[in-house]
Each structure stands twice: as structure tokens, then as C-alpha cells.
Amino acid sequence: MSVSCLVVDDGVIDHGVAESGEVLRAIAAAGVRLVFAGNTEPGDDRRARLRTAGLADLFAVVLQSGQLGVAKPGLIFYRLVVAAAGCPPDRVLCVGRDMARDVVGPLVHGMRPVLLRPDGLGPGELLPYGTGLIRCVGELPAFLG
């Protein structure tokens, strides 16, 4: 089943603004809804950082734990992600760099996770079934089909 929504953690943006921006623009141009979902401190607004990077216009919704009062990998946070996606969970692809917050949480809620790890998995880490692994944001489009 094809992806209708891509949920992006701020770690993906941090990975490389130029590459991330190019890839995310292409994904948005293909008609995929983009949602930003990050754990933030109260008062920390990542929208300013997204504007500075020239990426704010790509995201239909920006979910920030510091403003919501709930954080990843919490149940309520991921219910908000599914609502923001505007499609069934199995059509949502989540990409991030943290195993618990960006892989396990989405899997529990029926979404498809992709783990961004430039150096691969750490010692003793196992990739849960159904989870993609990428080393750079440029590999993300392969998971959209």
C-alpha cells in the first residue's frame, strides 16, 4: 500500500538540512502529506527553525510535545499523529533516529517506521519486523511505494 503521509522527526531535519529539504520537497510534490512530530521542551518552538531552514511550508501539521503536554512514545501523542495524518495508520510512514520513540511507538499504532541511522544499528540493537533502515535521507523515497 502506498504512503499518504510522512511523519518526520526533527532528527531527520538535523541530519542535513540541504539533503532533507530536497528529499522532503520531492515527497511533498508527489502528493504525500508531511507532518512534523517532535519531542520538545515547553517554550521551544521548532517552527522557527523550520522557517529558517526554508522547510516550514512543507508541513501540513507541526506537533510538538512541549506545546501538547504529551510526548513520544506516549499513546496520546501517537493518536494525535494519526489524526494529523488524515489517513489510516497503515498508510503513514514515520522516520526518525530513535528506536523507542520513532520505531516502537509507530509500530504499536499500526504505522510503518523507518529508522535513520548513518552508522547502522548499535551493538545489541535489533530492527523490529516491518521497520526500514536508512543511512541517509536520500534513501527515504524507496519506502513510499
Side-chain angles (χ1 to χ4, degrees), residues 39 70-81 100-101 105-106 109:
N39 281 348
V70 293
K72 294 188 282 182
L75 174 70
I76 294 172
F77 189 91
Y78 279 107
R79 285 185 178 163
L80 293 170
V81 168
R101 291 189 306 257
H109 292 87

Side-chain angles (χ1 to χ4, degrees):
M1 182 174 291
S2 66
V3 171
S4 296
C5 179
L6 175 64
V7 177
V8 179
D9 178 71
D10 57 343
V12 174
I13 306 299
D14 292 342
H15 179 68
V17 171
E19 179 190 18
S20 297
E22 182 180 318
V23 172
L24 294 176
R25 284 193 189 288
I27 291 170
V32 175
R33 179 180 178 89
L34 297 182
V35 171
F36 178 90
N39 281 348
T40 59
E41 296 296 322
D44 180 15
D45 189 350
R46 300 286 166 85
R47 288 178 293 198
R49 196 162 106 206
L50 292 172
R51 279 191 298 277
T52 300
L55 303 176
D57 63 313
L58 297 179
F59 295 95
V61 178
V62 175
L63 299 173
Q64 301 178 87
S65 64
Q67 294 174 344
L68 297 170
V70 293
K72 294 188 282 182
L75 174 70
I76 294 172
F77 189 91
Y78 279 107
R79 285 185 178 163
L80 293 170
V81 168
V82 171
C87 63
D90 64 345
R91 295 188 61 137
V92 178
L93 187 69
C94 296
V95 61
R97 300 187 332 178
D98 184 88
M99 187 70 78
R101 291 189 306 257
D102 303 316
V103 171
V104 176
L107 276 173
V108 167
H109 292 87
M111 295 177 272
R112 296 175 30 212
V114 173
L115 185 64
L116 171 63
R117 289 285 182 81
D119 298 322
L121 296 176
E125 280 188 316
L126 297 174
L127 199 61
Y129 178 79
T131 302
L133 177 65
I134 58 175
R135 293 181 182 269
C136 67
V137 177
E139 298 173 0
L140 189 56
F143 292 89
L144 298 174

